[in-house]
Amino acid sequence: MASFHVVRVRVSWTALLALAHFIYLLAGATIFRILEREAENYNRNHFLMEKLNFLANYTCLDGDALEYFVKVILYAKKNGVNPSGNSTNPSNWDFSSSFFFASTVITTIGYGNLSPSTVSGQVFCVFYAFCGIPLNLAFFKQLGKCFTIHLGRLEKGLVSVVPHKQAFEAVAASLFFIAGTFLFLVIPPLLFSYVEGWTYGEGFYFAFITLSTIGFGDYVVGTNPGKTYIYLYRSVAGIWIIFGLAWLALIFNMAASIMEHVLDQTYPSLRKQREAENMPSSEIEATSKI
């Protein structure tokens, strides 16, 4: 009779993460294509029909003149000038707006709706980001330490109520998550909805896309030419971004740690493999000799 032998294959933790990362990207690309492709085709066809109707109604214009005017509008939009409204539109470079832009630079959000148009401004932006991004990371690191200190104080206050360490950690993490969610993701969209005229869903979408540093630029506060904003509105939004980023970064780190812990409990061999990959080569040689 033929004998079968089970062959154990040692799988690299890095390879598993790379595979999961690639599969996640493929799944996201497929779902986004399904959800957005039809709407894109509709919007494109609608725009073409509007152009044809415009030319039919205004016979004094020809196709080339209309295309040139569209390019002028796109150029204005690219340089931060809102083509709707008139010359009384609020400035993109008053102090409040400039403060908001500076915060999006050092936090690497980069909405893309506004950027320096002068050579001197572009050069300064490069050096400003080069020095500001490390400073911002150091500030986030210090904020993380402050959050940890406050969690430690919370532990002392709850130790009599929750005697077990693991139970306390779960309670503290839950309180930290819930409090931050209300402070940075639930309450601010109410303000954005009121001031900007967005729905609550749009405000929540803007808040998360901003604090996760994705920053598509489809929704940006303080850019509606038909509204009059409080002078410090965008500056306050910039401060909200900085502290909200620090909170969400800690949440993401906690989520990654939880995922690793679950995998360690489910597949103990993966934990040993990950520790071996993260171990310095000198320690690996010493361990192998032992």
Side-chain angles (χ1 to χ4, degrees):
M1 295 180 64
S3 59
F4 296 93
H5 299 279
V6 178
V7 180
R8 293 186 177 180
V9 180
R10 185 179 181 183
V11 182
S12 170
W13 171 249
T14 304
L16 277 177
L17 280 180
L19 179 62
H21 190 268
F22 185 69
I23 292 175
Y24 197 76
L25 288 175
L26 287 178
T30 302
I31 295 174
F32 281 127
R33 183 180 184 277
I34 294 173
L35 295 176
E36 298 295 331
R37 186 68 178 270
E38 184 177 353
E40 180 198 34
N41 292 333
Y42 171 80
N43 290 330
R44 181 183 289 112
N45 294 331
H46 178 72
F47 176 69
L48 291 176
M49 289 299 300
E50 288 294 325
K51 282 176 47 175
L52 293 176
N53 291 334
F54 186 83
L55 289 173
N57 294 328
Y58 298 91
T59 55
C60 59
L61 289 175
D62 57 12
D64 293 336
L66 180 59
E67 290 297 327
Y68 174 77
F69 186 64
V70 170
K71 290 180 181 179
V72 171
I73 293 176
L74 292 176
Y75 179 80
K77 187 71 174 178
K78 178 182 176 182
N79 288 277
V81 178
N82 195 321
S84 61
N86 50 43
S87 59
T88 61
N89 289 349
S91 172
N92 289 315
W93 297 109
D94 57 15
F95 179 79
S96 181
S97 299
S98 299
F99 183 90
F100 181 79
F101 174 77
S103 67
T104 63
V105 170
I106 65 173
T107 54
T108 69
I109 295 175
Y111 286 115
N113 68 310
L114 181 66
S115 59
S117 58
T118 63
V119 175
S120 57
Q122 293 169 351
V123 172
F124 174 74
C125 185
V126 170
F127 287 99
Y128 183 77
F130 184 79
C131 299
I133 292 174
L135 175 63
N136 187 64
L137 292 175
F139 177 65
F140 281 174
K141 184 178 180 180
Q142 185 61 32
L143 276 182
K145 292 180 180 179
C146 292
F147 285 143
T148 303
I149 292 174
H150 287 296
L151 286 175
R153 293 176 179 174
L154 183 62
E155 179 179 5
K156 295 179 180 179
L158 295 178
V159 68
S160 58
V161 181
V162 186
H164 301 289
K165 181 179 179 181
Q166 291 183 347
F168 161 75
E169 291 177 351
V171 171
S174 299
L175 290 176
F176 180 73
F177 175 77
I178 294 173
T181 299
F182 273 93
L183 186 60
F184 297 113
L185 289 179
V186 174
I187 297 177
L190 294 173
L191 175 63
F192 298 144
S193 300
Y194 175 76
V195 176
E196 302 291 343
W198 300 338
T199 64
Y200 182 81
E202 291 171 334
F204 184 85
Y205 166 81
F206 163 76
F208 183 82
I209 292 300
T210 295
L211 298 186
S212 59
T213 70
I214 298 173
F216 290 122
D218 48 353
Y219 291 90
V220 183
V221 296
T223 58
N224 190 337
K227 292 184 177 295
T228 302
Y229 297 99
I230 300 174
Y231 181 69
L232 295 178
Y233 173 61
R234 300 190 82 184
S235 297
V236 174
I239 296 174
W240 163 76
I241 287 175
I242 293 174
F243 285 93
L245 277 173
W247 168 79
L248 194 59
L250 286 177
I251 294 298
F252 285 155
N253 289 333
M254 290 171 60
S257 299
I258 291 173
M259 291 175 62
E260 289 185 354
H261 179 73
V262 171
L263 288 175
D264 289 345
Q265 297 298 320
T266 308
Y267 305 101
S269 58
L270 287 179
R271 178 177 60 83
K272 296 179 181 179
Q273 176 65 22
R274 188 176 70 253
E275 291 175 351
E277 291 182 358
N278 294 332
M279 188 181 300
S281 57
S282 58
E283 295 185 11
I284 294 177
E285 294 176 358
T287 305
S288 61
K289 291 179 181 179
I290 295 176

